[in-house]
């Protein structure tokens, strides 16, 4: 086994488990710099009526609180800029994001926009692409209501630029959340297809953290535990979507996957998945999960302890991983082939040319050619 230097950093204060939000008020009271103006960004108006969220609201009785709702999945650049325009008139000291990865990504992005002050969508696009966004103007706290993205423990946010047909990343090391609260009770109301897509997204985060060029002993340990949790309990969740015990395990697996890839970033699977989501509206978690097995097959010889990695999935190799994922999708009534999502075979060559996202594809342990990517797409067609 080769020797390596291991580095791992994640500053997020994490409170995870049943009744986690009961500790929210204490956290706010113990902050050295108390927030005066607070923006609470939620996935829906109904979120504010949840018993658990009332504890959050009660923690800010002495603050000026602004409530906003962000309902869109996979946020677009124009939607982010619109939310910024609606909330930038007054100084914000703290942003609290309550929702899935899309809501949390917008919440953390706003912290950078408040400092950078873009005057148009075009300016914002340039700032993101050219890495000109300034140090966040305020802190943020993440409260996930899905178990999948890990956004509450990472320092980047995915924003989709549909006008330019590309995926963008707002990425600053100083934009980790001040704290994250993961309460399984908040995820019980997820629709089944969202629960499955979210879980598979988390599984992909863990798998790619394991084989990333930037992998480390801490990330690999977290990744193996996350994969075991998700792959063992996801079949049970599909049978019992409202079972709190299942959501406990999904939430734990998702957070550990988020911690794992917070230090490694993702790789080829995510890079190849982006045009599938942009052009064919395949939910991100579904798109990336279909790619795990074929990319794993290519990467397998570069993995530390490949047998141990496969065992985390409960199988012995990549082919069985692919079969297991397809069965899970079928069990949930979700298409598992590109053709079933409206992709045409003659389009695969064009799609493959759009699968090379910097920072993702070049983070894969094996360099992939356009021809190899096209073959990967044919394998899941």
């Amino acid at each position: 086994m080769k020797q390596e230097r291991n580095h791992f950093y994640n500053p997020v204060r994490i409170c995870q488990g049943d009744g986690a939000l009961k500790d929210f008020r204490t956290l706010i009271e113990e902050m050295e710099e108390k927030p005066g103006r607070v923006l609470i960004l939620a996935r829906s108006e109904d979120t504010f009526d949840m018993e658990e969220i009332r504890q959050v609201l009660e923690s800010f009785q002495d603050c000026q609180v602004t409530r906003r709702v962000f309902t869109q999945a996979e946020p677009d650049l124009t939607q982010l800029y619109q939310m910024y325009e609606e909330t930038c008139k007054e100084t914000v000291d703290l942003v609290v994001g309550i929702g899935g990865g899309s809501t949390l990504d917008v919440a953390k992005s706003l912290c950078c926009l408040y400092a950078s002050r873009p005057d148009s969508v075009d300016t914002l696009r340039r700032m993101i692409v050219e890495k000109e966004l300034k140090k966040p103007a305020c802190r943020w706290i993440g409260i996930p209501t899905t178990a999948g993205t890990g956004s509450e423990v990472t320092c980047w946010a995915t924003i989709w630029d549909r006008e330019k047909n590309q995926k963008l990343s707002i990425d600053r090391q100083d934009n980790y959340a001040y704290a994250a609260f993961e309460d399984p009770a908040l995820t019980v109301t997820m629709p089944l297809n969202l629960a499955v897509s979210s879980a598979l997204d988390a599984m992909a985060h863990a798998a790619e953290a394991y084989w990333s060029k930037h992998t480390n002993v801490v990330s690999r340990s977290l990744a193996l535990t996350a994969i075991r949790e998700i792959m063992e309990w996801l079949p049970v969740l599909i049978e019992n979507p409202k079972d709190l015990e299942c959501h406990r395990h999904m939430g734990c697996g998702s957070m550990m996957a988020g911690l794992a890839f917070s230090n490694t970033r993702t790789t080829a699977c995510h890079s190849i998945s982006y045009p599938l989501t942009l052009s064919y509206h395949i939910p991100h978690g579904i798109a990336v999960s279909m790619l795990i097995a074929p990319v794993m097959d290519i990467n397998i010889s570069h993995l530390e302890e490949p047998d141990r990695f496969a065992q985390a999935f409960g199988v012995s190799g990549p082919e069985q991983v692919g079969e297991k994922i397809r069965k899970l999708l079928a069990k949930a009534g979700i298409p598992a082939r590109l053709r079933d999502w409206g992709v045409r075979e003659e389009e695969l060559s064009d799609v493959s040319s759009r699968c090379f996202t910097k920072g993702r594809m070049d983070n894969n342990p094996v360099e992939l050619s356009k021809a190899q990517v096209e073959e990967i797409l044919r394998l899941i067609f």
Side-chain angles (χ1 to χ4, degrees):
M1 183 176 175
K2 68 178 181 180
Q3 296 297 310
E4 61 180 336
R5 288 189 178 89
N6 289 282
H7 301 273
F8 187 91
Y9 171 77
N10 194 299
V12 183
R13 299 159 179 80
I14 297 172
C15 185
Q16 189 274 334
D18 292 358
L21 285 168
K22 292 179 180 178
D23 295 332
F24 190 91
R25 182 192 290 270
T26 300
L27 178 107
I28 298 302
E29 291 174 348
E30 292 177 350
M31 290 179 73
E32 290 184 8
E33 297 179 17
K34 301 294 188 297
R37 296 181 185 274
V38 179
L39 169 66
I40 302 181
L41 189 67
R43 64 177 182 179
S44 68
E45 286 290 351
D46 293 343
T47 301
F48 295 114
D49 296 326
M50 299 176 71
E51 181 180 349
E52 294 82 3
I53 301 307
R54 289 199 202 102
Q55 298 172 87
V56 174
L57 300 175
E58 290 169 359
S59 303
F60 296 120
Q61 291 179 344
D62 298 328
C63 304
Q64 184 172 331
V65 176
T66 300
R67 300 185 191 184
R68 286 289 187 277
V69 170
F70 189 88
T71 60
Q72 294 87 354
E74 295 160 353
D76 185 79
L77 190 68
T78 57
Q79 295 166 342
L80 171 61
Y81 185 75
Q82 181 180 352
M83 182 58 66
Y84 162 71
E85 280 199 309
E86 291 177 7
T87 58
C88 70
K89 302 299 186 293
E90 296 180 334
T91 302
V92 175
D93 302 311
L94 178 69
V95 178
V96 180
I98 309 171
S102 296
T103 305
L104 299 188
D105 280 0
V106 170
K108 72 168 78 169
S109 297
L110 288 173
C111 298
C112 291
L113 269 62
Y114 293 147
S116 303
R117 298 288 172 181
D119 57 10
S120 68
V121 172
D122 288 336
T123 300
L124 175 57
R125 178 184 292 112
R126 177 180 55 77
M127 286 180 165
I128 296 173
V129 171
E130 298 182 10
K131 305 294 184 184
E132 293 180 356
L133 288 174
K134 296 180 180 179
K135 179 181 178 180
C138 60
R139 293 168 167 171
W140 74 282
I141 294 174
I143 305 175
T145 60
T146 63
T149 70
S151 182
E152 70 278 7
V153 292
T154 64
C155 64
W156 51 77
T158 293
I159 304 297
W160 301 90
D161 186 353
R162 290 181 173 83
E163 181 182 336
K164 301 294 184 180
N165 201 32
Q166 61 183 339
K167 173 260 181 190
L168 302 175
S169 182
I170 291 179
D171 185 348
R172 284 196 60 105
Q173 185 76 4
D174 47 18
N175 202 23
Y176 277 103
Y178 179 75
F181 289 82
E182 191 276 312
D183 188 334
L186 298 179
T187 66
V188 173
T189 58
M190 274 193 296
L192 178 60
N193 61 342
L194 178 58
V196 173
S197 177
S198 299
L200 291 174
D201 188 18
M203 176 274 293
H205 290 155
E208 294 181 84
Y210 194 91
W211 67 51
S212 161
K213 282 184 178 179
H214 295 95
T215 190
N216 59 77
V217 68
V218 178
S219 287
R220 288 197 297 276
S221 179
L222 288 163
L224 290 175
T225 304
I227 292 168
R228 280 193 293 267
E229 285 282 280
I230 292 165
M231 297 306 286
E232 179 180 347
W233 283 90
L234 185 52
V236 185
L237 181 67
I238 293 172
E239 292 286 348
N240 306 281
K242 304 299 181 185
D243 186 87
L244 184 60
E245 183 68 13
C246 293
H247 287 279
R248 290 190 184 105
H249 288 278
M250 289 296 107
C252 190
S254 171
M255 182 165 285
M256 286 189 288
L259 289 168
F261 94 106
S262 74
N263 277 241
T264 67
R265 304 180 187 275
T266 52
T267 67
C269 297
H270 271 68
S271 189
I272 299 170
S273 78
Y274 296 144
L276 300 178
T277 296
L278 269 170
S279 298
Y280 301 100
H281 310 293
I282 304 176
H284 172 65
I286 305 303
V288 76
S289 72
M290 291 190 285
L291 294 157
I292 289 294
V295 175
M296 177 182 172
D297 192 34
I298 293 172
N299 290 341
I300 195 76
S301 63
H302 292 257
L303 267 61
E304 294 279 346
E305 302 181 282
D307 292 342
R308 191 178 177 203
F309 180 69
Q311 288 165 8
F313 287 89
V315 301
S316 59
E319 185 176 335
Q320 290 176 307
V321 169
E323 183 179 350
K324 192 163 189 175
I325 291 172
R326 286 191 294 273
K327 285 182 177 179
L328 286 169
L329 291 172
K331 194 173 183 181
I334 299 172
R337 291 285 180 183
L338 295 183
R339 64 174 71 95
D340 298 322
W341 288 96
V343 183
R344 294 183 296 180
E345 189 170 9
E346 60 268 27
E347 296 171 331
L348 296 181
S349 177
D350 175 65
V351 173
S352 67
S353 67
R354 295 186 281 121
C355 290
F356 291 80
T357 298
K358 186 178 179 181
R360 300 298 178 265
M361 187 63 89
D362 53 357
N363 192 31
N364 200 64
V366 177
E367 184 177 350
L368 299 180
S369 66
K370 179 182 179 299
Q372 285 175 300
V373 172
E374 186 174 341
E375 178 58 26
I376 288 169
L377 294 171
R378 291 190 186 281
L379 288 171
I380 63 172
F381 178 75

